[in-house]
Amino acid sequence: MTEIRDYVAPRSLADALRVLASGPATVLAGGTDLMPQSRAGRVRFAPTLLNVQGIDELRGVARDPGGVQIGALTTITSLLEDPLIRDRAPVLRTACDHFASSQIRNAATLGGNICNASPAGDTLVPLLVLGASVVLASAGPEGIVKRRLPLAEFLVGPGRTARRTDELLVAVQAPLPPAGWVDRYLKFGARPALDISAIALAVGGTLREGRLEDARIAFGAVAPTAIRASEAERVLSEGPLDRARIDRAVEAADATIRPISDVRASDWYRRELVHNLLRRVLNDVCDA
Amino acid sequence: MATTTLERTNTDSLIGRRIPKLDAPDKASGRTRYLHDINIPGQLHAKILRSSQVHARIVSIDVEAARRVPGVHAVITAADVPWQRPIGVTKDHLPLKSDIVRSRRDEIAAVAADTVEAADEALRLIRVTYEPLPVVATSAEALAPGAPLLHGEDLRAPGRGGALEVVHPASKDNVAMVHEYRQGDVAQGERDSAVVVEDVFWLHYVTHCCMGVSGVIAEFDPSGNLLLYSNTQVPFLHKREFAELLGIDPGRIRIIQPPIGGGFGSKLDIYPFEPIAIFLAKLTRRPVKLVFSREEEFIASPTRQPVLLKLRSGCDSAGRLTFRSVETLHDNGAYTSWGATTPFVMMQTISSLYRVPHCHYRTRAVYTNNPYAGSFRGYGNLQATFAVEAHMDKLADALGMDPLEFRLQNAQDPGETTPQGMHFRSCGFKDCLRTAAERSDYRAKRRANLAHWNDGNPIKRGIGIASMLHVGGGAKMYPSDGCGTIIKLDDFAKVTLITGASEIGQGSETVLAQLTCEELGLPIDAVTVVNNDTAITPWDVGVHASRTTFIGGNSAIGAARKAKRKILEAAAPTAGLAADELDLHGGSIVVKATGERVQDLGKFLRSLHFAEKADLVMTTYYYEPPSVHLDRQYRGDVSAAYSWATQVAEVEVDTETGVVRLLKITAAHDVGRVLNRLGIEGQIEGGIVMGQGYALTEDLLVEGGVIKNPNFRDYKLITAPEVPDVDVSFIETFDGEGPQGAKGVGEAPAICIAAAVANAIYNATGTRIYALPFTPEKVYRALRGKSTAPTWPESAA
Amino acid sequence: MSAMLEIEFRLNGVVQRTAVAADMSALEMLRDVLGLTGTKYGCGEGECGACTITVDGRTVNSCLMFAVDCNGREVQTIEGLSATPLGERLNHSLVAHGAVQCGFCTPGFMMQAQQVLAEHPHASREEIQRGLEGNLCRCTGYRKIIDAVEAVAHPTASAE
């Protein structure tokens, strides 16, 4: 653990961005990951600890022209309780329900979970399926500069993102799925939550006349980042959803993933789980 | 709303009632001061530097920079305590290591500082250079020809006179301990057998995970008397051991046991952190507090004994067991603690759970560079029962017999004395078997599940049965297995019960208060229990072997009966009746035959106290159970009573993921008699869930001597949503020696869960898995034929 | 050493002003600075729930919270909960149901039980189990804890 020389807790985004522009700072949101990671020496503090919790404008779920905008400081609990998310993006709600524990859901923020960029990050898989983007803000010469980046591009590697050190992740935007949309989320584990998944997967798409159109498949914990399985998605989108197509999609997914062996699972077992559970989830969609 | 105070009427008894724990209100409100919550003015905080190597020679230790950290009072290494003496069951373990480190937990240096932060800073500045040595990662490797010897040299330490003496002789084969037991003639048993099965089982590493991490506070007074605040489960034995360690009179050591955040057997031995805190207190002349981090708790606490077990069993064509032959390799780890002695319990299950005419049992505990194993609830019995009960199913299957019938046919009856010398004065084993089987509908469900093996549904159901035998009336492992009690009554008929028996969360305080009140005819809230200070409490051998209710209970009853006799004899003349015509009831002296009230007890005690020949009612009692030591052939009736249980597990197996869900446990326990229904249910339910963790989720991953998951993230305790339905039946056999007929039950419920789950998985899938735990990947591999069953190493042939 | 900060917040209804290091956890502040030892250290990683407190009406693991982040907030610990009518009801129920053994995890369960009941005043058994999933207990096997919370959620159904 390194020492913290300055602690700042601004109330406005502009103030926070000025701090980030002026030198290296560690961003503190819910703290649920920063505290244990820093204690274990896996994260070293920058000289300034920037607590963004007081910036109320970064909190909350709202409809916007592109769909839904979720403030980076929105807690997992707030997402779980939000009616819009419940009704229109249930895949995200289900993932939040399997997120750590009640106490951690109350503190942990969506922005924090995204910026940690864990290959097993619980919210990343549903957000990929929803086609979400992140909004990054920084201080520019004429005020706040924002840029939008698809989530898949934001996630660069385990614990690594495309965020510049002078930027703050301020929001997540996602289009709201169209009518006829179906989705599924599955986090593999013996426990309902309080678990880091050996694998997680989500599937989404629009069911129309026996086809899963605009099919989306995403996986967690089987590659350096949470990933979309675009080849498998293509297979699904090409024709009617039946057992044979599902088998082909599963094969295509197998070619996409790059699982590793660690204390939670072997690479072989992760592949087997992807096979069996993707097939199970797609069969379930097919039978619905 | 439920009420916590119990008023006693003239007709009812406290026995069998649901009596809340006396210490629970304070605990639930956060008022209870555990060791972690105690701070002594002037105390220093201690931290330990542990080895970064699994096996290495220490070339140098540089503590100069650490000593310069502001606030640091002492930095010590072995060089600073040349008088240190070894700890452990065979005295093979010096608290601070000077030349060789044999595991990643090994203590190299320690710091005492004003603050934890300063102590941590000093630890970071200690420089150790190592010369790595080859790692012995398994017991098979340890026995291989040419294996590095972990304790290949005599260990010498200063004796009483100061001269060096051999305290632990060299082990030239890495074998730390051997236990061998024989009964009958196994070769004859083989000849008598129609069916013989042989398998090798692997029983894995798990650890206690007490919610309160380990800690100690040590303080010397100016005369050199030591006061320890300790979480020990055996204060009186440790008093003596600490005295030996320090070369002082045991009378100069006082141990206070603050409330403890879980024990489960983990606090039966002295671990290096305790002498180290004492060394620091001695050198700094300040109170020293040392508390582990959770990671340290995982790395530097003992584990359950990991065992490789080869079992060969036979039965004749009529379904009678003919013989059992067992060989085990206990991975002892780098040092010897109680884990090496678990064969004492394991061989009881092998020889005496079922009737077996011919038995051979042999264990070698083998040094490796792994974490070392201590005692843990069940003490080897989970491992032995796992293997025995797998074979009960396999033998029954081979004969085409119903597994329940097969067990009933071989089960013990009351009155039997087994070839190992265990005498079952009370024995409800067959009632346990029948009750658990009937209440779970075992026979019908077992048959129904078999029909679904090949039905194409990936989700399978299974049911499995297993039973256990465990000591229930203490275990005579030491010269005495007794417990002392002092009782005093004050002028207002309030009782102080001063007992040697420690409360470690299991509820002994409440059950002892209850037994005392039952004798004295008083409500439970009339008692104050004192049980945590060796300067006050009488001797007890400690909390282990499921003995506290039995031994401490009989001791409390003995003291209470003496008090009662004294009261009634004193009251007889005024009442105009003989003492044995009187009784104590509802806070009064009453006429035994009619219940008619003679006098309020408090008023009588005052009249006794303030009479011309003034007297107080204070009594003492020491209870020693009528058990015997095992002889050199491991024979003897080591416990005053034995407990029995049968547990039926119902599981759901997802064959596409390997996830096994425990749906229900139907348990029947011969507990002698239920004393406190609330307390005994808590022990059973808690033990069942601990057994569930052992069977399904808990797995301390040790690779090359390194623990890979020293945290609750990846060492998975069972959580609230995972608990099964539980149906518990109590079989009351009213043991003649037990307090009010009760027998010990503390360890029993954890023992046969894993065995029952293994049999249930087989019933669900047709796959038998010989290695624990049944984590999803292990089960999945086994179902796919991708796992290899454990094998017996050539080096151990 | 990290910077020291002066913070002010309400603790169990009383305004507290105290100085904390920037990297200190709320758990360390409560136990070591303010002397409230009812909140326990069990793992320091948010996995066991023994350190559960309430911040602005929601439970969090105090071991994961930066003490400085308490500034301006409303914090409740087991000492505060125990002095409320709900705290007393929970205490009585846990005691009466035999839900306390070694008791080390119990304050954390008390705090989280309050959260479960705030979310689901008439919580089902499954809601209680899910709500308590972030609290580990090694002694009881959870069933009696679940029973105790259920009895508070359904007072008439479980009257004994």
Side-chain angles (χ1 to χ4, degrees), chain B residues 546-626:
Chain B
S546 304
R547 65 183 288 281
T548 299
T549 292
F550 193 100
I551 309 286
N554 274 331
S555 179
I557 289 174
R561 285 189 180 156
K562 281 170 81 175
K564 180 174 175 176
R565 197 179 320 129
K566 177 165 183 171
I567 293 165
L568 297 185
E569 278 170 7
T574 356
L577 289 163
D580 60 10
E581 291 172 305
L582 295 172
D583 201 357
L584 295 177
H585 213 125
S588 292
I589 299 164
V590 300
V591 179
K592 192 187 265 177
T594 62
E596 183 197 337
R597 194 159 166 271
V598 175
Q599 192 173 7
D600 173 76
L601 181 59
K603 198 169 174 188
F604 172 75
L605 289 168
R606 288 194 291 280
S607 70
L608 188 69
H609 183 184
F610 299 108
E612 204 168 316
K613 266 187 73 184
D615 201 359
L616 292 176
V617 178
M618 300 178 291
T619 61
T620 65
Y621 192 78
Y622 186 71
Y623 175 74
E624 180 67 38

Side-chain angles (χ1 to χ4, degrees), chain A residues 165-224:
Chain A
T165 54
D166 66 331
E167 284 181 315
L168 194 63
L169 190 151
V170 293
V172 174
Q173 286 183 330
L176 284 171
W181 170 266
V182 292
D183 61 29
R184 298 285 188 278
Y185 173 85
L186 203 152
K187 174 174 172 175
F188 172 76
R191 295 174 178 177
L194 200 73
D195 221 341
I196 293 175
S197 51
I199 73 146
L201 67 89
V203 168
T206 309
L207 260 187
R208 198 169 290 140
E209 291 161 7
R211 295 168 72 111
L212 189 65
E213 292 179 356
D214 190 20
R216 322 249 180 103
I217 299 173
F219 293 114
V222 292

Side-chain angles (χ1 to χ4, degrees), chain B residues 516-530:
Chain B
T516 302
C517 289
E518 184 71 10
E519 295 299 325
L520 297 177
L522 290 170
I524 191 90
D525 57 9
V527 189
T528 301
V529 182
V530 176

